[in-house]
């Protein structure tokens, strides 16, 4: 045998080996066996009469479904906002409740004795009628009658101050409501009323630095 023929045989053997390696069904043949009667038995386990192809196709379908269609993640729903009754708030957002008014009497027995004092608040002057800050008292007085007290005040408030707004806000908290007031010579004035009680405030002079005003009130021990 010459060298050329030997090389051709070696090359032929390599080609045959490659063809056998890539032959379709190689793994099926290797996984199956033959019993003594020459019949082929399946290596898969399962119930008699079951179709292996259906099992494999079902497994493949379920596998594809689990990969392509993952179950949606469960998202937690946001907690419901508390109702106004639960949170202790009432009204719509941005709207505030009206402040609660105090309807208790502003004075009580025993009433102070009649007195007048200059440059300061007289003894027994009602706290609810206190003037705004930066105020210099001119004259203050109290005069009691049966179950009632007359209060008078003249004072000067140094700017910036808003005397009328001060008494509007302060007395509104006690249930006083503003009524039409008659002013003298178009001077700014307010009149506040609660039942039989009245408070009148008048701006007597407005200067560049100061605002002069006067107050007169009649209060009762029973509101």
């Amino acid at each position: 045998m010459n060298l050329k023929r030997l090389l051709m045989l070696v090359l032929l053997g390599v080609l045959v080996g490659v063809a056998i390696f890539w032959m379709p069904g190689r793994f099926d043949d290797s996984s199956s066996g033959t019993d003594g009667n020459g019949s082929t038995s399946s290596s898969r386990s399962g119930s008699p009469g079951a179709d292996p192809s259906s099992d494999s196709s079902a497994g493949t379908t379920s596998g594809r479904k689990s990969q392509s269609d993952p179950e949606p993640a469960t998202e937690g729903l946001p907690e419901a906002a508390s109702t106004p009754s639960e949170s202790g708030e009432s009204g719509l957002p941005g709207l505030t409740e009206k402040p609660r008014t105090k309807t208790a009497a502003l004075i009580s027995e025993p009433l102070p004795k009649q007195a007048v004092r200059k440059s300061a608040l007289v003894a027994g002057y009602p706290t609810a009628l206190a003037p705004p800050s930066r105020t210099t008292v001119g004259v203050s007085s109290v005069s009691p009658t049966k179950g009632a007290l007359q209060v008078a005040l003249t004072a000067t408030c140094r700017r910036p101050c808003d005397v009328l707004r001060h008494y509007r806000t302060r007395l509104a908290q006690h249930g006083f409501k503003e009524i039409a007031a008659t002013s003298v010579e178009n001077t700014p004035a307010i009149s506040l009323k609660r039942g039989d009680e009245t408070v009148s405030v008048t701006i007597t002079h407005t200067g560049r630095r100061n605002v002069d005003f006067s107050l007169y009130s009649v209060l009762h021990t029973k509101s």
Side-chain angles (χ1 to χ4, degrees):
M1 183 181 294
N2 56 22
L3 181 60
K4 182 176 181 180
R5 186 174 182 180
L6 179 61
L7 292 176
M8 290 180 65
L9 291 176
V10 171
L11 180 60
L12 180 61
V14 172
L15 293 175
V16 170
V18 172
I20 293 173
F21 181 81
W22 291 104
M23 182 180 297
R26 183 178 63 86
F27 295 102
D28 294 339
D29 295 337
S30 62
S31 62
S32 62
T34 306
D35 56 10
N37 299 326
S39 61
T40 303
S41 61
S42 173
S43 62
R44 299 188 183 89
S45 60
S47 59
D51 186 1
S53 62
S54 63
D55 295 340
S56 61
S57 62
T60 305
T61 305
S62 62
R64 290 177 179 174
K65 182 178 182 181
S66 61
Q67 294 178 2
S68 61
D69 300 325
E71 294 183 0
T74 304
E75 298 181 358
L77 296 176
E79 296 182 0
S82 57
T83 59
S85 58
E86 293 173 351
S87 61
E89 299 178 356
S90 61
L92 297 174
L95 299 180
T96 56
E97 262 189 27
K98 292 182 180 181
R100 296 182 179 179
T101 57
K102 304 174 184 178
T103 57
L106 302 183
I107 58 173
S108 59
E109 300 283 354
L111 293 175
K113 295 181 179 180
Q114 182 174 350
V116 178
R117 185 174 182 180
K118 294 182 178 181
S119 303
L121 295 178
V122 67
Y125 188 92
T127 304
L129 302 182
S133 58
R134 301 165 61 90
T135 293
T136 301
V137 176
V139 179
S140 62
S141 65
V142 292
S143 178
T145 57
K146 187 177 181 180
L149 183 68
Q150 297 179 18
V151 182
L153 172 71
T154 59
T156 299
C157 178
R158 188 174 180 181
R159 288 181 177 275
C161 67
D162 191 335
V163 177
L164 301 184
R165 181 178 180 181
H166 168 79
Y167 282 107
R168 280 192 184 103
T169 304
R170 193 177 186 90
L171 293 174
Q173 298 175 357
H174 296 277
F176 281 79
K177 295 183 179 181
E178 187 171 355
I179 60 176
T182 303
S183 60
V184 179
E185 296 180 357
N186 295 324
T187 56
I190 59 171
S191 182
L192 302 156
K193 186 176 181 65
R194 185 182 71 171
D196 295 333
E197 298 178 301
T198 58
V199 178
S200 298
V201 182
T202 303
I203 303 298
T204 57
H205 177 72
T206 301
R208 295 181 59 184
R209 296 184 178 181
N210 301 321
V211 176
D212 299 340
F213 66 96
S214 63
L215 178 146
Y216 178 78
S217 175
V218 177
L219 303 178
H220 294 272
T221 55
K222 294 183 181 180
S223 59

